[in-house]
Amino acid sequence: QVQLVESGGGLVQPGGSLRLSCEASGFTFSNYAMSWYRQAPGKERELVATIFASGSTNYAESVKGRFTISRDNTKNTLYLQMNSLKPEDTAMYYCNKRFQPGTWGQGTQVTVSS
């Protein structure tokens, strides 16, 4: 079955950096567009970044120029490098397929605060 395990979150000061990882299993990872999503308390889950099977990427306007999504198909792992973090980036971060996302993992909490 599909399993997604996110890690790498934590507490960081504004302007700091974090690198999130997502280990995927149960499907042919390299064939799928994969995305990072986030959900802040009291808000809808939102799409943050996508990387397609081709390697092309796109980003939400709010993170463009600060976040970088990447993938290692040999390790079935998705990454999100987050730089210049802002308090408004505080959220639970999840990875999933971009299209028809299935079961969600437990997520990893990112808190940006001084």
Side-chain angles (χ1 to χ4, degrees):
Q1 70 280 16
V2 172
Q3 191 170 13
L4 301 163
V5 180
E6 301 93 346
S7 63
L11 173 64
V12 63
Q13 292 187 340
S17 297
L18 283 173
R19 189 192 195 206
L20 306 185
S21 299
C22 167
E23 295 183 26
S25 60
F27 63 103
T28 306
F29 178 77
S30 59
N31 287 354
Y32 287 86
M34 295 295 297
S35 293
W36 285 97
Y37 302 79
R38 67 186 180 187
Q39 188 168 20
K43 294 190 176 181
E44 298 278 323
R45 187 173 288 162
E46 64 171 337
L47 177 65
V48 174
T50 298
I51 184 165
F52 294 87
S54 64
S56 61
T57 59
N58 56 39
Y59 298 89
E61 283 297 321
S62 59
V63 306
K64 201 171 287 186
R66 300 188 297 122
F67 290 11
T68 303
I69 188 171
S70 61
R71 66 194 300 163
D72 184 340
N73 290 335
T74 66
K75 296 181 180 179
N76 289 350
T77 301
L78 182 72
Y79 302 101
L80 186 68
Q81 178 67 44
M82 306 187 296
N83 298 330
S84 302
L85 282 161
K86 304 176 180 180
E88 51 264 44
D89 294 318
T90 295
M92 188 71 78
Y93 283 71
Y94 303 87
C95 66
N96 213 320
K97 297 175 183 177
R98 171 62 181 90
F99 304 106
Q100 297 179 325
T103 304
W104 295 88
Q106 84 288 351
T108 187
Q109 177 68 39
V110 172
T111 302
V112 184
S113 174
S114 55

